[in-house]
Amino acid sequence: MIWFVSILAILGLGLIILFFWDIFQKEHSVLRTYPVVGHLRYLAEDLGVYLRQYFYSNDRQELPFNRAQRNWVYRAAKNVDNTIGFGSTRDARPLGEIFFVDAPFPLLEVDAIGTRPITIGTQCHHPYTTSSLINISAMSYGAISKNAILALSHGAKMAGCWLNTGEGGIAPYHLEGGCDLVVQIGTAKFGFRNEKGELSEERLKEAAALPQVKMFEIKLSQGAKPGKGGLLLAAKVTDEVAKIRWIAPHQDAESPNRFPEISNVTELLDFINRVRDITGKPTGFKTVLGDYDWIEDLCKEIIKRGIASAPDFITLDGSEGGTGAAPMSLVDYVGLPLAESLPVLIDILVSYGLRDRIKVIAAGKLITPSMVVWALCVGADFVNSARGFLFALGCIQALRCHNNTCPTGITSHNPWLMRGLDPTSKAVRVFHYVKNLDYEVGVICHSCGVNEPRHLNRRHVRIVSEHGTSVSLAEVYPDQEPGCKLKTL
């Protein structure tokens, strides 16, 4: 009884002290006017973002990903039934919503079929041939944890897809699973820099010698923050992360907003060809489009130099991409969404006769079968996803990716938080996510009457117009007809 009274006395004294502190402080008006109880407002503000997805938002309302999208990925990753009853909850009326055109006589097959192999970099010493359709987008070690990388690496090997290392260099955890790797080189050249921060040919050759390394991707920009370099907070720059990146530990790792060596399309092609000559492997670049003119200039420069000088692939990220921590002003307002930029990029490449030479990888919120099929209809060769695989690992959209406090251990290096992520079981979920995503892409293909996902085209998609009725995407972005006159210099 005495201990109970003591606890009450301590609590009462604490509330009295808090009462007088609130009355005399001048920083917060609410607390000054409503001492003690005013703290409930700040508690509700902090907790609201986490409670919303469970209690207040409907299945199709929340952003950046709603409950329906997340639940589809969760079920696919757990390999459980993803069918629903009583009809769709999707509102099909808003401007821009899409529908796929079902064939009057769909294919008789009941199961999805595989995709044909595609070769990237046919003119390289070591071209890359893959049947993979959906792949893991760039997430570096440092940005995400060791256990997350291990799960992705092993899961990618099981699923037969590639894993992009992100701009943080090649970690041993990328290699452990034995999957195909696409190595990203960011503006700071982490993992591939010398003491002066310049590109190290020696380290590039060491990476290229690894049989798992299939391609190199030069990152000009990413969807979360076009025009701004990456930032890894000091709390996540551990001794091991620093060693892999060739930087100082326990300090913010910030990369420039662009490559010092690349200020125009001429220098971009020079850099691409330099990396390709050193490594002998397919080399391309990742970007977010805001202006289309520079892509036209790039195509003209390629035609001038010769088709062999072209990048082997372009990874196009939409402004809706968002795994990286970034200022809200960039996340919300800079760069074009994939829905606008992807068809224009495809059309520009076609108009210069470069579409077969340059493969296109689409990225940006493509986590469900419908969005993957949309990208294929528009003209993409491959689809990359980052956040889809984060959900497969158990992400709960806590929005703490950059703070080292991720409750699922995916983006945290805190040993206690990280231990909650078991790489072995999560690797299986990564595998199931890819396979079930592939399967349902095939289901849509069968309904549309095509027997291979890349046989889809813009006539298979309709989009809701301002009149409330749908129009064919082929009318909005007409396909280039075979034999059309190509653009020249």
Side-chain angles (χ1 to χ4, degrees):
M1 186 66 181
I2 296 177
W3 64 267
F4 182 72
V5 174
S6 299
I7 291 175
L8 288 179
I10 293 172
L11 288 175
L13 179 61
L15 290 174
I16 291 172
I17 293 173
L18 182 62
F19 178 87
F20 284 104
W21 174 269
D22 289 344
I23 284 179
F24 291 107
Q25 63 82 34
K26 298 180 180 180
E27 185 176 355
H28 302 288
S29 301
V30 171
L31 298 181
R32 191 173 172 88
T33 306
Y34 304 99
V36 181
V37 296
H39 287 275
L40 294 176
R41 181 261 177 195
Y42 297 99
L43 179 63
E45 182 180 45
D46 289 339
L47 293 179
V49 66
Y50 307 117
L51 297 178
R52 214 170 291 137
Q53 63 175 298
Y54 300 110
F55 298 110
Y56 311 123
S57 299
N58 66 38
D59 284 350
R60 302 278 182 171
Q61 185 176 18
E62 195 180 3
L63 294 173
F65 293 94
N66 61 49
R67 187 183 294 121
Q69 293 169 320
R70 297 196 309 272
N71 284 347
W72 187 91
V73 177
Y74 292 149
R75 291 193 295 269
K78 295 175 183 177
N79 202 32
V80 298
D81 187 16
N82 234 324
T83 57
I84 62 172
F86 210 68
S88 173
T89 60
R90 181 175 80 114
D91 185 355
R93 295 169 296 177
L95 182 69
E97 286 292 309
I98 61 172
F99 305 91
F100 297 112
V101 179
D102 58 301
F105 309 105
L107 302 182
L108 287 175
E109 292 93 344
V110 295
D111 293 320
I113 54 177
T115 56
R116 61 183 172 85
I118 285 186
T119 299
I120 307 175
T122 54
Q123 303 182 45
C124 297
H125 291 299
H126 304 285
Y128 178 41
T129 300
T130 177
S131 299
S132 159
L133 184 66
I134 294 108
N135 303 281
I136 305 175
S137 194
M139 292 179 284
S140 62
Y141 176 53
I144 62 177
S145 69
K146 173 184 75 174
N147 286 1
I149 294 288
L150 286 171
L152 292 173
S153 177
H154 285 276
K157 176 63 175 179
M158 295 165 65
C161 68
W162 76 62
L163 166 63
N164 191 306
T165 64
E167 65 175 312
I170 304 174
Y173 315 114
H174 289 119
L175 298 167
E176 185 169 320
C179 68
D180 292 349
L181 295 177
V182 175
V183 175
Q184 189 179 84
I185 304 173
T187 57
K189 309 174 193 69
F190 293 133
F192 306 100
R193 51 192 277 155
N194 58 26
E195 292 72 16
K196 297 180 181 179
E198 301 167 338
L199 185 68
S200 169
E201 293 192 6
E202 179 183 355
R203 293 189 179 123
L204 266 181
K205 290 178 181 178
E206 291 174 356
L210 297 170
Q212 286 177 237
V213 172
K214 303 300 182 181
M215 301 196 296
F216 287 84
E217 179 181 82
I218 297 164
K219 191 188 88 168
L220 301 183
S221 57
Q222 68 184 89
K225 46 191 170 186
K228 184 174 177 61
L231 173 63
L232 189 65
L233 297 178
K236 301 177 79 170
V237 185
T238 64
D239 291 336
E240 185 179 34
V241 168
K243 182 180 179 181
I244 293 169
R245 295 189 178 213
W246 292 87
I247 57 175
H250 313 298
Q251 298 179 19
D252 289 348
E254 189 168 3
S255 49
N257 62 333
R258 72 166 175 84
F259 285 86
E261 306 93 328
I262 304 175
S263 60
N264 52 53
V265 296
T266 300
E267 292 173 350
L268 172 59
L269 288 179
D270 289 342
F271 197 88
I272 290 171
N273 282 276
R274 181 186 174 192
V275 172
R276 185 164 49 207
D277 290 343
I278 294 169
T279 64
K281 296 190 174 181
T283 305
F285 66 90
K286 178 179 182 178
T287 192
V288 179
L289 287 182
D291 170 46
Y292 300 126
D293 290 342
W294 77 269
I295 292 292
E296 296 245 12
D297 293 339
L298 177 68
C299 292
K300 292 174 183 177
E301 183 66 19
I302 293 169
I303 299 300
K304 179 180 176 182
R305 293 187 181 202
I307 197 169
S309 67
D312 297 301
F313 64 90
I314 296 175
T315 302
L316 182 64
D317 204 0
S319 60
E320 62 270 58
T323 54
M328 184 180 290
S329 54
L330 291 183
V331 173
D332 285 348
Y333 292 104
V334 180
L336 293 175
L338 198 65
E340 179 176 343
S341 59
L342 180 59
V344 175
L345 173 64
I346 296 293
D347 288 348
I348 291 175
L349 294 178
V350 170
S351 68
Y352 283 92
L354 296 172
R355 183 63 191 90
D356 290 335
R357 171 71 179 90
I358 302 174
K359 306 306 178 187
V360 175
I361 306 167
K365 293 188 79 172
L366 306 177
I367 72 168
T368 56
S370 59
M371 296 315 299
V372 171
V373 171
W374 169 86
L376 296 173
C377 287
V378 171
D381 296 297
F382 303 93
V383 166
N384 273 2
S385 177
R387 286 175 291 182
F389 285 94
L390 293 183
F391 288 132
L393 291 178
C395 169
I396 60 173
Q397 197 165 281
L399 309 180
R400 297 183 186 177
C401 306
H402 57 297
N403 290 333
N404 204 37
T405 58
C406 171
T408 61
I410 297 174
T411 65
S412 174
H413 298 285
N414 181 305
W416 176 254
L417 295 174
M418 194 169 59
R419 69 178 291 278
L421 196 163
D422 174 52
T424 303
S425 63
K426 299 301 185 184
V428 176
R429 290 196 180 191
V430 169
F431 163 70
H432 284 152
Y433 173 55
V434 174
K435 290 307 176 185
N436 283 311
L437 188 52
D438 273 333
Y439 175 81
E440 291 211 14
V441 166
V443 168
I444 297 176
C445 287
H446 283 174
S447 180
C448 292
V450 301
N451 57 12
E452 209 280 342
R454 295 188 183 95
H455 291 166
L456 293 162
N457 58 55
R458 298 176 190 181
R459 289 181 291 278
H460 290 113
V461 188
R462 296 185 69 85
I463 183 171
V464 176
S465 70
E466 65 273 15
H467 304 296
T469 55
S470 67
V471 297
S472 173
L473 193 65
E475 296 178 27
V476 181
Y477 297 102
D479 284 314
Q480 296 283 347
E481 294 298 327
C484 67
K485 184 177 180 181
L486 301 179
K487 290 186 178 181
T488 58
L489 296 179

